[in-house]
Amino acid sequence: MPLILNKPSGDSNLLYRKVVNLGQTSENTLFLRLAELADCRVLAMAQLLAPLWKSDLIDVVKAQLLATLSTTCLSTTGSALHLIGIGRVWDASILQRSVMEGTIRFIYLLHGDGSFEERFDEFSSALEDIAWLRLTQKVQSFLDTLGDQKLDNGSQQTLESMRLSDSEFGEISHKYPKRKRRQIEDKWSFGKLLEYLASKDLLPSQAAADFQLRYLKSSQSIHGNPLGLASFYERAHRPEPNRSWATYAHAAETTRILKDLTLYRLSAAHIFLRLNIDELVAAYEHPEFDSLCTEIFVKHHAMEYGV
């Protein structure tokens, strides 16, 4: 579950106004407050997903799949907020990418192209089978490199559990030849799903473009590409206080996006169920969080761009 922090006593609005404007408290307090406020809204919105799991519009198996996907998004959101709360802001962006991918798939399963049954079958059956083919090939490649070298029983059993039998591999390979596998994987790729959802107004076009950019930037960091290394170096060598305020701004932005992603999943569920979405606004909005983020962005822009 996401991190839940105790709310500071006293006038918290005044306290955090001092953090932003005067820098009179530690930076950890600011990170913790952002994480706490976002987590509060995320949990409030997550509870509103309950009607989807109980709906007669989907069977138990599909409800369980959606619930599992939603729970993984919620869990990873909590992990990202925890990292932000302890000041590991830039690392949280890597987890944010995982939440983006899960959210996009959640929305597509409910509102995507083709029939409801076809989407769930492709996601839960075809993509899983294709993943097993890839995993089996990787395991076999590893075993081939060992040659006559022996593994202990536990390691050998673990590897055996991670691959298909020869007959299963042959059956799935015949069912999904390479061309068909590429077509299915391409259809369910992050970029293609974003493109579809934006074209159908299931996701704001600006948000889709923003997510695509963040996905690319996180890939640079995850894979240790030159641009990712350059970004890390540039952040580490910024003069103070610019470096700190850039980190504060990134923390505010990341927490806001994690909150937005929760809202997008919830909105997709409510639209699918044809429920009134007015209650979502109350669960999403938090004046203190919005005010705190605005103050941080203003301060950061003033330092970074002189405006």
Side-chain angles (χ1 to χ4, degrees):
M1 294 294 290
L3 174 72
I4 303 178
L5 302 167
N6 293 325
K7 185 174 182 179
S9 59
D11 189 343
S12 59
N13 287 321
L14 176 60
L15 169 63
Y16 289 96
R17 195 173 302 118
K18 289 181 178 179
V19 172
V20 174
N21 293 334
L22 303 178
Q24 294 182 2
T25 61
S26 71
E27 63 178 21
N28 287 341
T29 305
L30 179 55
F31 291 136
L32 284 170
R33 190 58 179 159
L34 282 168
E36 177 202 34
L37 293 173
D39 185 69
C40 175
R41 294 299 89 201
V42 166
L43 287 176
M45 287 187 283
Q47 293 174 5
L48 297 178
L49 278 167
L52 183 61
W53 322 139
K54 304 173 183 178
S55 173
D56 293 334
L57 296 176
I58 54 177
D59 59 42
V60 174
V61 174
K62 295 181 179 62
Q64 183 61 52
L65 176 61
L66 286 168
T68 302
L69 183 54
S70 174
T71 301
T72 59
C73 289
L74 187 62
S75 177
T76 305
T77 296
S79 298
L81 291 175
H82 176 71
L83 286 175
I84 292 170
I86 61 175
R88 305 295 297 182
V89 175
W90 303 97
D91 294 331
S93 298
I94 296 175
L95 295 183
Q96 176 187 275
R97 165 177 162 156
S98 176
V99 181
M100 285 194 300
E101 292 191 83
T103 297
I104 295 308
R105 284 166 174 75
F106 184 90
I107 299 172
Y108 186 82
L109 280 168
L110 289 174
H111 299 285
D113 193 20
S115 72
F116 195 58
E117 294 292 334
E118 289 172 344
R119 293 195 300 273
F120 272 83
D121 182 64
E122 274 194 341
F123 184 77
S124 63
S125 181
L127 286 175
E128 182 179 354
D129 284 346
I130 293 169
W132 272 110
L133 288 179
R134 291 187 182 278
L135 182 58
T136 298
Q137 290 171 328
K138 294 293 184 183
V139 171
Q140 188 59 54
S141 177
F142 173 71
L143 291 174
D144 290 343
T145 62
L146 293 178
D148 295 331
Q149 183 179 344
K150 300 297 183 181
L151 296 173
D152 62 80
N153 289 335
S155 298
Q156 187 68 39
Q157 289 175 357
T158 299
L159 284 173
E160 292 297 335
S161 70
M162 293 168 60
R163 66 173 180 170
L164 300 167
S165 66
D166 291 343
S167 61
E168 290 172 326
F169 188 88
E171 181 182 344
I172 295 176
S173 297
H174 179 74
K175 184 178 181 180
Y176 300 108
K178 286 186 177 180
R179 183 176 180 181
K180 187 173 183 179
R181 294 202 300 264
R182 285 196 297 268
Q183 290 175 339
I184 294 174
E185 289 179 315
D186 183 63
K187 175 183 176 180
W188 285 86
S189 67
F190 185 73
K192 286 296 179 64
L193 293 183
L194 272 181
E195 183 180 323
Y196 176 85
L197 295 180
S199 70
K200 301 298 182 180
D201 293 326
L202 294 165
L203 192 69
S205 57
Q206 184 175 352
D210 181 56
F211 291 167
Q212 190 73 277
L213 178 60
R214 293 180 187 282
Y215 186 88
L216 176 61
K217 291 176 68 176
S218 66
S219 293
Q220 300 289 348
S221 298
I222 290 171
H223 301 300
N225 291 341
L227 283 179
L229 297 177
S231 296
F232 179 85
Y233 183 88
E234 190 274 335
R235 293 195 305 267
H237 289 81
R238 282 191 179 197
E240 289 290 5
N242 298 64
R243 180 171 60 187
S244 292
W245 282 103
T247 306
Y248 297 151
H250 192 68
E253 187 176 51
T254 303
T255 51
R256 177 182 57 79
I257 291 171
L258 289 168
K259 194 161 69 84
D260 288 350
L261 288 167
T262 308
L263 177 65
Y264 292 144
R265 295 193 301 276
L266 181 56
S267 297
H270 271 55
I271 292 172
F272 178 81
L273 297 173
R274 299 180 181 179
L275 298 177
N276 192 319
I277 64 173
D278 290 343
E279 64 175 341
L280 307 189
V281 176
Y284 173 83
E285 290 182 343
H286 197 297
E288 183 184 347
F289 177 82
D290 295 338
S291 176
L292 180 57
C293 287
T294 298
E295 290 185 64
I296 292 173
F297 293 144
V298 169
K299 182 70 173 181
H300 168 60
H301 289 165
M303 286 201 169
E304 194 77 7
Y305 309 110
V307 293

